[in-house]
Amino acid sequence: MLPSFDTQDMEAGLRVIEDLTSNANLIQDQLLREILAQNARTEYLNRFLDGQLDKEAFKRQVPVVQYEDIKPYMERIANGEPSDISSQPITQLLTSSGTSGGKLKLMPSTAEDLERRALFQNLLVPVMNKYVEGLDQGKAMHILFIRQEIRTPGGLMARSTLTSYYKSSNFLNRPYNRFNIYTSPNEAILCPDDKQSMYCQLLCGLIQRHEVLRVGAVFASAFLRAIKFLEANWEEMCSNIRTGRVSSWITDLPCRSAVSSMLIGPNPELAISVEKECGSGKSWEGIVKRLWPRTKYIEVIITGSMAQYIPMLDFYGGGIPLVSIPYASSECYFGINLQPLGKPCDVSYTLLPNMAYFEFLPLETNHGETETVDLVDVKLGHYYELIVTTLTGLYRYRVGDILMVTGFHNKAPQFRFVQRQNALLSIDADKTSEEDLLNAVTKAKEHLEQLGLLLAEYTSYPDTSSIPGHYVIYWELKAKGCKSDFRELDKGLMEECCSTMEESLDSVYRSCRRKEKSIGPLEIRVVREGTFDELMDYCIMQGSSFSQYKTPRCIKSDAALKILNSGVMGSFCSQCVPPWDPFNMV
Ligand code: AMP
C-alpha cells in the first residue's frame, strides 16, 4: 500500500519521508514479499523459484540480469503477447535514454507504478519547503517537455517516463496546490513541437517574471538550452509582449490559445523592462537573477555527467543556489536529495525504500560475483552497483549506475551518484570512463579562465583512423562577455589543455602513451558555437528524447561525427608525453 498524504500539507509530506527512512529495512522486506506474492507464479520467476516465496530463495536462485537478458520479454510485451513477468497488466512501456543494439531500452510500467512515481514527485516540494521559506508566494518556471510517443505493434504506448507523468491525470488534474503553480500552461508543456513549446514556456515565464520564485528543468543541460534559446529569441518575445499577440508561427492551437489568454493585451512596460535586461550588448552573466529577480534557486539535476554544466549555471544564474533533488529512471524512481541547499559537490540522494527492492553489488568484488548487499547493510564510503526489483516485473536488474555511500538518513543510506558504469573511451588497454573524462576536462578547462572563456559543451571520439589511434575531444567554447570571438585562441595554451588532459587521465592511459606508445597525442578540436545544438537535433531525430537528452560523451555514429567535424574551427594536439610511474599502477 502506498502512503497517502495531503499534498498541501508539507509537514505530512516530511512525515512520510521520516517514516519511510526510519523503517527502511521493514519496508524493503515488505515490498519484496509483496512482489513475490504477486509475481512468483509468472513464467519468468517460476522458472527460478518454483513457487518459493522467501527472500533467501529469491537472492539465491534468481539471477542478476542486464537488459540483454530481459529484452525478449520486453519485445514480447511490445508485440502484444501476454506478459511473462508481471501479474499486473503492463499498461505502457517506458523508453530509457539508454540504448541496446541501436534501439531504445523498454521498461515495463503498470497503473500502480504511475501512482508510485506520482507519490515520489509529490514528496519533492515538502523537502524544498523545509529549507526555503515562502514557496507558496509565487510560481515555478519549470521548462518541461514531452517527447514523441510510439505505439508498439501490440498497441501499447512506449514513451519516456516524464512524458507519461506529464500526460497522466496525476499531473494534468493535480488539485490546486499553492506550493506547486507553474508559469507554463499544461498546453505548452504538452505541445508536441519542441520549438513552439520552448518559445511559449519562456514567453509565459517572461510575462509572469515577477511571480517566479524558482526556475528549472529536469537536467541542467535542458535549462541551459532554454537560456540559449532565450538569448536567440528574446527580441521576438518582447515584441509579442508589446503587441499582446503571439507570433504567427505558433500554430499549435491549444498552446497558442493558452499563451494568448495569458498575454491579455499590449504591455509595453513589461517589454521595455525585459529588453533592458537582455539587450544593448549586455553580458548575459546573471541573466536569470535579473529577469526573474525573486528566484530563490535553480532546480536542475547537476550530478553525474551534468556536473560539467555547473559553471555555466553559475554564470547565468549569478550565484543563485543550484538544487538537484530527484534521482530517478525509467526502471523506477530511486531517491531524493534531502539536503537540497548543500554544495553541488556534496549532493547525495537518499533512496526511498518503497520505490523498489534495492540490492547493491559491491564494486570491489565485482569480478563475476553476484553476492549482493541489502539497502540497510551498505557501508559508508563503499562503492556499489545498483540493482532493482520492481512490482512491474524487473527482477534483480542492473541499472548500470555506480553509487557511493555518503551517509544515512535514519536507516536509509544516502548515495553520491558516481557514474553510469561504462568504459567510455578505449584505444588500447585503456578504459576511460565518463567520470575520468569529466575530471580531465575539468582540470584542462582551468586554462581557459585566462582567455575569459567557458567550456559550454564537450564530447569525445576514439580516432583509430591512424595508427596509433588517439583521443579526440571536441570542445564548444563560449565567451564570458557578450560577444564570442575566438580569433585569439592561443595555440600554446590549447596545447597545454591537451597535455593537462593527458596528465589527468589514469595510469593505464599514460602507460599506453609513454611505454607502449599504443596511443597517440590527445587532440582537442574546438567547434563553433551551435555545433552541439546541431548534434542534439540529430540525436533527437534518431529517437533521443528532447527532455531527457544528455549530450553523448562519446560519439559512436559517423553522421554525428560529421556534424562535429564540420564545425571545427581549430585543432590542437598535446606536445608532450604524460608522466607515468610504473609503481603507481595499482
Ligand atoms: P532514463 O532511464 O533515460 O530516465 O535515465 C536514467 C538514468 O539517468 C539513471 O540511471 C542515471 O544514470 C541518470 N540519472 C537520473 N537521475 C540522475 C541524477 N540525479 N544524477 C545523475 N544521474 C542521474
Side-chain angles (χ1 to χ4, degrees), residues 96-97 301 303-304 326-330 349 399 401 417 420 548 550:
S96 163
S97 58
I301 290 176
T303 39
Y327 170 38
S329 80
S330 318
Y349 301 98
V399 174
D401 289 347
F417 181 91
R420 200 154 175 113
Q548 287 169 269
K550 300 149 198 139

Side-chain angles (χ1 to χ4, degrees), residues 488-502:
E488 281 143 32
L489 264 190
D490 181 290
K491 182 167 181 281
L493 193 120
M494 288 308 298
E495 287 168 354
E496 246 180 83
C497 290
C498 299
S499 308
T500 304
M501 278 203 69
E502 293 206 298

